[in-house]
Amino acid sequence: MRAAGTAEPNPLVGCVIERGGEVLGIGHHHRFGGLHAEREALANCTDRGLSPRGATAHVTLEPCCHTGKQPPCTEALIAAGIARVVYARPDPGELSGGGAKILREAGIDVVLDESDPVARGLSEPFVQQLDTGRPWVIAKWAQTVDGRIATRTGQSQWISGELSRGRVHRLRARVDAILTGLGTVIADDPMLTARGVRRVRRTATRVVVDHHLDTPLNCRLVTSARETPSLIACDSAMASSELTTAKRAALADRGVEVMGVPGGREGLHHIDLAQLLKQLSARGCSTVMVEAGPGMLGSLFEANLVDEAWVYVAPLLLGDEQAPGAARGRAVPALEGGRPLRLVHTRRLGDDVELWYRRGG
Ligand SMILES: NC(=O)c1ccc[n+]([C@@H]2O[C@H](COP(=O)([O-])OP(=O)(O)OC[C@H]3O[C@@H](n4cnc5c(N)ncnc54)[C@H](OP(=O)(O)O)[C@@H]3O)[C@@H](O)[C@H]2O)c1
């Protein structure tokens, strides 16, 4: 997890080399283009004056067997005399996958052990992007104890406390894109930048879903687009229509990119969000954080596109049925129709609680 924001589009991978329960070396893949976890862990053994010969390498993803920016990990493990490799997830990559077979052929005892959700989960975003062509989508919202994300008048700043907001800034500093809806742009005029963060690992492109190009030219996402990239995802017809020529020119003048996306559900003037995500992926985007209101979040949950959720629960109760919840627009007569989530971690942040979920079911 320490490499989140520096390793992508490569997977997050960790490795521990151990013999008889004694840890000889540990390592992880720090950054894209850098040493892979296995080589880091082997180097760590050497640095500590310990030989990995005959030891077991526990690695969260099947060791790679191809030369990319680094030589194959399989070669390093074989050369070091590793006797056993336990890995938590097969690598489905066309080029990188298949390392287990090569290790077995070299006489190493190789075991796939999928029992630990943490070890398996580490490379889930990478595997999903290979499988679906979509980046990993992390939804974030702050809510009251009774699940409201704003008052009935649309006020949401600030439901959560300072510590929670600091965590959100750190999360922003390690994703490739931050997605929001036009409703949030109009209500909150957010900047969606990472502020007060010691190390900004990557600068996220701010993406506004705005089917008819109604984003105000004086909103902060537009006026700051020369410093931090902003992109408006609109209906593909709007992206080329003569009706929007002047608006598109005004946006381009301010450094805002307009990207057309084909329509989604008929009659709703909505764009196809899965297609939008694929287009972002094709531009090199591995992780997308969603900081939107219930309209956009509802659409994403409806399309089953949310992989992870970070929920900040503040010690406040509104008790107002007109105050919006986290997502809307879905019709769910039975509990089975809800989107199951799996609780990964909880953390107390002052008087708030951070809940970290992944897609469940
Ligand atoms: N507490 C928090 O963490 C938090 C975070 C962000 C915002 N908020 C609050 O949320 C409120 C705003 O909520 P909201 O629902 O209006 O804003 P939103 O979710 O940011 O944006 C809603 C807009 O997105 C459009 N949309 C949804 N799915 C779409 C799709 N597939 N294609 C194209 N457009 C799509 C909707 O169009 P249609 O109307 O046509 O469906 C609507 O115009 C504000 O009060 C804000 O303060 C709270």
Side-chain angles (χ1 to χ4, degrees):
M1 288 303 292
R2 290 189 190 152
T6 56
E8 298 91 349
N10 277 355
L12 304 180
V13 187
C15 178
V16 176
I17 295 175
E18 154 271 331
R19 190 170 34 224
E22 185 200 352
V23 173
L24 308 177
I26 61 170
H28 70 277
H29 179 44
H30 289 250
R31 67 189 64 81
F32 183 70
L35 281 188
H36 287 185
E38 296 88 329
R39 286 180 186 271
E40 280 277 344
L42 289 169
N44 188 231
C45 294
T46 315
D47 289 349
R48 299 169 70 195
L50 300 169
S51 166
R53 194 155 291 280
T56 297
H58 300 262
V59 57
T60 58
L61 184 68
E62 181 182 0
C64 75
C65 60
H66 86 302
T67 303
K69 294 223 177 311
Q70 291 290 334
C73 292
T74 44
E75 273 180 12
L77 293 166
I78 295 165
I82 290 289
R84 191 162 188 258
V85 171
V86 182
Y87 66 104
R89 185 187 272 280
D91 183 342
E94 240 171 71
L95 292 173
S96 53
K101 184 166 170 279
I102 288 175
L103 293 171
R104 270 192 203 103
E105 283 166 4
I108 295 178
D109 178 20
V110 183
V111 181
L112 169 64
D113 178 352
E114 300 180 294
S115 61
D116 186 329
V118 179
R120 251 184 79 71
L122 205 57
S123 48
E124 209 175 348
F126 168 79
V127 170
Q128 172 185 281
Q129 192 163 23
L130 280 184
D131 285 349
T132 65
R134 286 197 310 264
W136 188 253
V137 174
I138 306 166
K140 166 262 142 188
W141 69 86
Q143 66 171 50
T144 62
V145 169
D146 53 339
R148 310 295 167 168
I149 59 89
T151 63
R152 60 163 66 199
T153 60
Q155 188 198 354
S156 68
Q157 292 168 336
W158 301 107
I159 289 177
S160 55
E162 217 170 293
L163 287 176
S164 302
R165 301 206 301 276
R167 290 275 295 166
V168 171
H169 281 277
R170 288 208 287 285
L171 189 57
R172 284 180 186 164
R174 65 171 173 82
V175 295
D176 294 309
I178 300 173
L179 186 88
T180 192
L182 181 61
T184 298
V185 173
I186 289 170
D188 300 344
D189 194 12
M191 271 297 271
L192 303 180
T193 49
R195 300 183 296 281
V197 178
R198 201 153 38 91
R199 190 156 76 94
V200 176
R201 295 176 170 208
R202 45 187 71 192
T203 301
T205 298
R206 292 130 352 136
V207 180
V208 183
V209 176
D210 167 13
H211 37 104
H212 288 140
L213 282 182
D214 290 323
T215 300
L217 290 174
N218 62 355
C219 75
R220 299 203 291 169
L221 290 182
V222 171
T223 56
S224 63
R226 292 251 173 251
E227 295 86 61
T228 311
S230 291
L231 183 153
I232 296 182
C234 69
D235 187 276
S236 26
M238 286 289 152
S240 54
S241 162
E242 272 181 30
L243 289 172
T244 59
T245 308
K247 182 75 185 253
R248 283 186 282 124
L251 288 167
D253 213 35
R254 288 158 178 78
V256 178
E257 191 183 343
V258 172
M259 184 170 83
V261 181
R265 286 165 61 196
E266 260 175 61
L268 270 178
H269 306 291
H270 276 180
I271 61 170
D272 181 343
L273 295 172
Q275 179 57 32
L276 163 62
L277 292 171
K278 282 186 183 163
Q279 288 178 219
L280 291 175
S281 178
R283 299 161 53 103
C285 172
S286 302
T287 40
V288 177
M289 178 177 175
V290 182
E291 294 201 61
M296 183 51 53
L297 272 178
S299 291
L300 285 163
F301 275 111
E302 175 66 11
N304 205 7
L305 293 171
V306 177
D307 301 303
E308 191 167 312
W310 292 66
V311 183
Y312 295 87
V313 182
L316 179 72
L317 185 139
L318 293 180
D320 180 348
E321 74 276 18
Q322 299 288 326
R328 71 170 142 80
R330 305 193 65 230
V332 188
L335 289 176
E336 295 75 54
R339 290 282 178 228
L341 299 168
R342 176 171 57 82
L343 184 63
V344 179
H345 193 66
T346 61
R347 181 193 293 249
R348 183 178 178 148
L349 294 166
D351 289 332
D352 292 353
V353 181
E354 178 187 74
L355 303 170
W356 173 17
Y357 295 97
R358 278 203 173 168
R359 183 200 297 277

